[in-house]
Amino acid sequence: MENLMNLIRKRRTIRQFQPREVSLEILYKLIDLGHLAPSASNLQPLEFLAVTDQQIRKVVFSCLRWAAYINPAGDPQPGQEPTAYIIILVNSLIRTKGFEYDVGAAAENIILGGLAAGLGSCWLISIDRDRLCPVLGLPETLKIDSVIALGYPAEQPVVENYSGSVKYWKDENACLHVPKRNLLEVAHLNLYGQKFPEDFKF
Ligand SMILES: Cc1cc2nc3c(=O)[nH]c(=O)nc-3n(C[C@H](O)[C@H](O)[C@H](O)COP(=O)(O)O)c2cc1C
């Protein structure tokens, strides 16, 4: 298993996938990682719905909006759609607000756990929830927060230094470039604006 810090640095959102199924065992393990995440007041309002069924997958896919900055260039190409989803649900009887922190922690656990198992993923909140909810047989009390699209990666996006725009782009080889703000600008030491003494190399 790869070192956790390397995994975190290596992780990129993946939107092109190989036509290879994800096993139920892996999906169940990922749900386990999601449900073990930190939870405010330990209220644990989240539930997780894995989707592998081909028909339901198609409907889920049709309810998602991908890579808004470069739409439609970032959409999964035909034959490169996700082969599984984990849908993060919120039990509104437990929490109706403030659950987003729990979702964030659970989603990242699932994403990193997936990466450790060789999976790429895309966390999505641009979802046509009104259309998706009835298809999934959800009771009124369960709300869809996020969808984690999963599959074996068929692209290798790269990080770029931020130079004035946060918008990711695709080059002529369909490689996705993702700008990230400069670490020196977002890291402060002791007093705001005070820099680390050295620009450590990782
Ligand atoms: C809360 C959240 C919601 C997101 N929603 C979407 C989405 O609806 N569609 C999509 O294609 N990507 C979505 N993303 C992925 C972001 O676009 C992606 O994380 C960002 O471009 C940075 O790329 P990186 O994940 O490779 O660092 C979402 C990410 C987060 C954290």
Side-chain angles (χ1 to χ4, degrees), residues 19-182:
R20 178 180 163 195
E21 300 296 315
V22 180
S23 75
L24 291 187
E25 187 186 352
I26 289 181
L27 290 170
Y28 197 51
K29 278 186 181 163
L30 296 184
I31 290 178
D32 182 41
L33 299 181
H35 109 283
L36 289 172
S39 172
S41 305
N42 206 23
L43 286 173
Q44 303 174 64
L46 307 183
E47 297 192 26
F48 306 86
L49 174 62
V51 174
T52 57
D53 177 90
Q54 297 240 8
Q55 289 310 113
I56 305 177
R57 248 154 61 181
K58 277 190 186 141
V59 182
V60 175
F61 184 74
S62 73
C63 292
L64 303 177
R65 186 169 147 83
W66 303 82
Y69 287 139
I70 55 171
N71 185 265
D75 290 359
Q77 296 304 294
Q80 300 202 139
E81 297 91 350
T83 51
Y85 299 94
I86 292 177
I87 301 176
I88 304 183
L89 307 169
V90 182
N91 186 333
S92 59
L93 295 177
I94 299 178
R95 280 206 99 139
T96 53
K97 51 184 183 174
F99 54 78
E100 297 86 353
Y101 302 101
D102 288 24
V103 173
E108 189 69 353
N109 273 11
I110 291 169
I111 288 167
L112 293 176
L115 193 56
L119 297 174
S121 61
C122 181
W123 176 354
L124 298 109
I125 56 167
S126 298
I127 307 162
D128 186 342
R129 292 175 178 78
D130 292 340
R131 203 152 65 74
L132 186 53
C133 274
V135 177
L136 300 174
L138 298 177
E140 279 277 296
T141 49
L142 283 179
K143 311 289 177 208
I144 296 173
D145 182 274
S146 295
V147 171
I148 312 288
L150 292 155
Y152 292 90
E155 66 168 342
Q156 278 191 308
V158 292
V159 166
E160 297 292 343
N161 288 329
Y162 171 82
S163 58
S165 171
V166 292
K167 293 185 180 174
Y168 42 79
W169 74 91
K170 279 205 171 180
D171 66 22
E172 58 283 3
N173 300 315
C175 176
L176 183 67
H177 297 258
V178 185
K180 292 286 175 185
R181 290 186 198 280
N182 192 314

